[in-house]
Amino acid sequence: APTPTSIERFRMQFGDEYLAFWAKRCYNIVVNTCLFNDASKAPSHFKDQYTWLEERLQYATDKQAQQIFVFGHHPWFLYKEDEDGDTMEGYSTIANETKTVKVPDSYFILPKESRMKVLALFEKFNVSAAFSGHFHQNMVSTTSFGMQMIVTSSLSDVIESTGKPADFTEPNTRGIRVVRVEGGSTASFDHEFISL
């Protein structure tokens, strides 16, 4: 769990752990998802970031952003927005020279309570997509309100979950994701994973 000390150390080394910026008419918000995962040791930091997130979403809406994207390390969810970590059955196998470990899919998502609170904000402010990593494999899912949860594989170790839907066909390799945003009266975006 993040602590005030670890957060300050991050800020000294890398800068703000949450921030926002414009790219043309697209508003991009980067959050510290570690605090949404476990804020027990830094509750005031969590509260500050949550308030800031809501203010940024309102600002983007007031300024008529054509797209709002949210970025963070952890995916808000993998397969369904209301999935419960206690009932997820999938796992990924990680092996090294000495042992093999099965890591449950529930390890990779944010707790349902904080997730549902944030997803309600995303719905209210019409967030187009949330981007993350952490899962070390590709997965794209869509909420009931149309927001895409786009999880991109790692550039290091790539693993494979037994919980993925059979109809998910994006390659599961090292690579990058390219996002194309179209402006104008029919603002839209698409994305493509490119294997390296």
Side-chain angles (χ1 to χ4, degrees), residues 181-193:
V181 179
E182 299 293 328
S185 60
T186 58
S188 64
F189 79 98
D190 66 0
H191 57 91
E192 173 186 12
F193 181 78

Side-chain angles (χ1 to χ4, degrees), residues 47-163:
K47 183 180 178 210
D48 291 347
Q49 180 180 225
Y50 184 85
T51 300
W52 173 89
L53 173 61
E54 189 168 19
E55 289 169 353
R56 294 294 84 204
L57 290 166
Q58 183 64 60
Y59 167 81
T61 300
D62 292 347
K63 296 294 183 183
Q64 300 177 349
Q66 290 182 334
Q67 303 287 340
I68 301 173
F69 295 140
V70 177
F71 299 84
H73 179 73
H74 299 82
W76 298 99
F77 63 95
L78 293 176
Y79 312 118
K80 298 178 184 173
E81 66 198 88
D82 62 348
E83 63 199 8
D84 190 333
D86 293 336
T87 59
M88 295 178 82
E89 296 179 3
Y91 63 88
S92 297
T93 302
I94 300 174
N96 64 26
E97 302 82 35
T98 60
K99 64 181 176 179
T100 299
V101 178
K102 291 181 178 178
V103 181
D105 283 354
S106 60
Y107 166 77
F108 297 102
I109 62 170
L110 292 169
K112 188 174 182 180
E113 182 180 346
S114 62
R115 175 188 346 132
M116 298 310 288
K117 184 176 179 180
V118 172
L119 289 179
L121 279 181
F122 291 175
E123 180 177 16
K124 176 181 176 181
F125 292 105
N126 200 29
V127 170
S128 304
F131 295 86
S132 77
H134 188 58
F135 194 37
H136 285 258
Q137 52 199 297
N138 292 320
M139 189 67 231
V140 179
S141 300
T142 305
T143 64
S144 59
F145 56 91
M147 183 197 85
Q148 289 188 28
M149 179 69 248
I150 303 168
V151 184
T152 301
S153 177
S154 170
L155 287 172
S156 61
D157 292 332
V158 177
I159 56 180
E160 184 72 39
S161 174
T162 62

